[in-house]
Amino acid sequence: MQVLWFKRDLRLSDHMPLFEAMRNAKHHGLVLPLYIHEPSQIADVHTARQHQLFVHECLDDLQQQFANVGGYLHEELGEAVDVLAALHAQFKFTHLWAHQETTQFAQYQRDRAVAAWCKSAGVVFHELPQNNVQRARGDKADFQTYLNRAAQQEIKNPAGRNLQAFFAPRPPPVLKRCNVPNAAGEDKPLRMKGGRTQARAVAAKFFTPAKLKSYPFSISSPLKAWNGCSRLSPYLAYGVVSDREVLQKLNALVNTVHGQGDSVLISKVEDAARFYVDRLIWRQGYLQQLENHTGLETDAFYGDEPAEVNQEFLNAWQHGRTGFAYIDACQHFLQQTGWLNMRARATLVSFACVQLGLPWQPVALYLAQQFLDFEPAIHYGQVRIASGTSHFSQMLVYDPLKQQAEQDPKGEFVKRWLPGYGTAGYPAPIIDNAESLKQGKARLHAMRQNRLL
């Protein structure tokens, strides 16, 4: 028998471990698809209730996808090694299939523990790469080559086929989700819902000529970004869709526009498509960066980073009570939706770390819990840049008053998401904007100079 282990790759389409396990069923045995609810990962400090419920919705959808092809998804509760060991004792499976995943250190440690157990138990562990990300000395094509392949290669999708003969008998019992411990925190009322069906609906709404050509002009302001961005980030983060699927959807749209023969529209859509692809390239770059520098989540790159936490400042920033309307509105928006556009995220981090002088670690951890689309490589990469604690050559500092003037000139965003603004109960600014910017930039400059010495 073979076990097919799902983690942050909650789909059947473009899933090479699934394809390879099925292809090898004749030689290695029938396939047991498995998802493990791991108490240690649920209790991890990065995991919030909204993440867990999003995953549950994805699993419900994945169960239906399996049912449609004559299969099932077996869910277990327990630590990965313990669950696999118990299944091995019962079924003596010989092969374990999974994707390589670039994620936080706790999950990387879990994957290493599984690999060690497989070696000791004589189980062949196949970890297949994805997203053109290189692990250790693995092969990695340049992005243009990968892009060309991704746009042209047929995506393997089992939908519409009856694969019942390839699945091992389903082991009892069927897990009841009520027995799975809850992650910390509360769900967010306006967050996006999980599942392949939801992802397809979101993609269909975005990948139109009108939406795509307006995309480059919609991503900076949280007012426009809510409807102007593709909003596929949670589905990419949890592998509900693959980057190859997104690239092919984009390519199909461009080809469709070409078929209409409108040269002006073609030019605008092509420009917007390249702009979108650039963001996918950045995403891959962040993933590769974490593979190359696994300490990105924890390591201090500068010896004199601040260690003390001003709890009053941290609480005011977290709860949207800083007296800076744009910052506070962004926090209230995030608390309701679990999402912010990239520039607003950078502004929150810059304000917290540069102007309030907070260490990047508690800032990064809090936002990881708040972002539904938390993906460690991208999250920590962006936080380190916006906090000034990365190796990025430029020092990016976002003046919150300037950002408000540029991104919310009529105050629409602030009025909608900060109802207490302008009343007697709204707090005065907790710092002087100009002075804190001056001191923060000087501190970052000194940190960088010390590193060069």
Side-chain angles (χ1 to χ4, degrees), residues 368-379:
Q369 297 160 351
Q370 300 303 311
F371 292 147
L372 177 64
D373 58 7
F374 167 64
E375 196 163 6
I378 298 171
H379 178 70

Side-chain angles (χ1 to χ4, degrees), residues 286 289 293 296 299-302 305 349 353 360 379-396 444 447-449 451-452:
Y286 281 120
Q289 182 186 32
H293 306 284
L296 192 69
D299 292 351
F301 295 157
Y302 300 92
E305 289 185 63
V349 174
C353 297
W360 63 267
H379 178 70
Y380 278 102
Q382 291 180 347
V383 166
R384 301 303 293 266
I385 290 173
S387 64
T389 59
S390 74
H391 297 310
F392 192 59
S393 58
Q394 289 180 281
M395 187 167 67
L396 301 180
L444 290 183
M447 286 166 52
R448 287 169 176 262
Q449 287 299 112
R451 181 172 179 82
L452 294 174

Side-chain angles (χ1 to χ4, degrees), residues 12-16 19-20 154-158 244-245:
L12 299 189
S13 176
D14 198 23
H15 196 289
M16 289 307 296
F19 174 77
E20 291 295 335
E154 179 184 0
I155 286 178
K156 300 183 189 317
N157 187 349
R244 294 198 331 139
E245 291 180 303

Side-chain angles (χ1 to χ4, degrees), residues 1-5 30-34 72 74 87 91 168-169 171:
M1 194 177 80
Q2 306 173 86
V3 171
L4 174 63
W5 180 26
L30 300 178
V31 179
L32 169 63
L34 173 69
Y72 62 88
H74 182 61
L87 287 173
F91 299 108

Side-chain angles (χ1 to χ4, degrees), residues 61-73:
D61 193 282
L62 188 58
Q63 289 276 14
Q64 187 59 54
Q65 292 176 57
F66 268 114
N68 292 342
V69 298
Y72 62 88
L73 177 66

Side-chain angles (χ1 to χ4, degrees), residues 238-280:
Y238 287 93
V240 180
V241 296
S242 70
D243 64 342
R244 294 198 331 139
E245 291 180 303
V246 173
L247 285 166
Q248 291 203 6
K249 192 80 172 175
L250 186 65
N251 195 50
L253 174 58
V254 172
N255 289 339
T256 299
V257 172
H258 270 270
Q260 297 172 357
D262 184 332
S263 60
V264 175
L265 179 62
I266 290 171
S267 178
K268 290 182 178 180
V269 169
E270 283 185 336
D271 288 345
R274 282 190 287 268
F275 188 84
Y276 191 89
V277 168
D278 283 344
R279 272 73 199 156
L280 291 176

Side-chain angles (χ1 to χ4, degrees), residues 377-438:
I378 298 171
H379 178 70
Y380 278 102
Q382 291 180 347
V383 166
R384 301 303 293 266
I385 290 173
S387 64
T389 59
S390 74
H391 297 310
F392 192 59
S393 58
Q394 289 180 281
M395 187 167 67
L396 301 180
V397 177
Y398 294 83
D399 181 336
L401 300 185
K402 181 179 179 183
Q403 291 301 312
Q404 182 174 357
E406 291 180 351
Q407 310 304 337
D408 189 29
K410 296 181 181 179
E412 299 170 71
F413 180 74
V414 167
K415 289 174 186 175
R416 179 175 179 183
W417 295 101
L418 196 62
Y421 179 60
T423 66
Y426 186 69
I430 59 176
I431 53 170
D432 179 86
N433 190 58
E435 184 61 27
S436 62
L437 281 169
K438 179 181 177 181

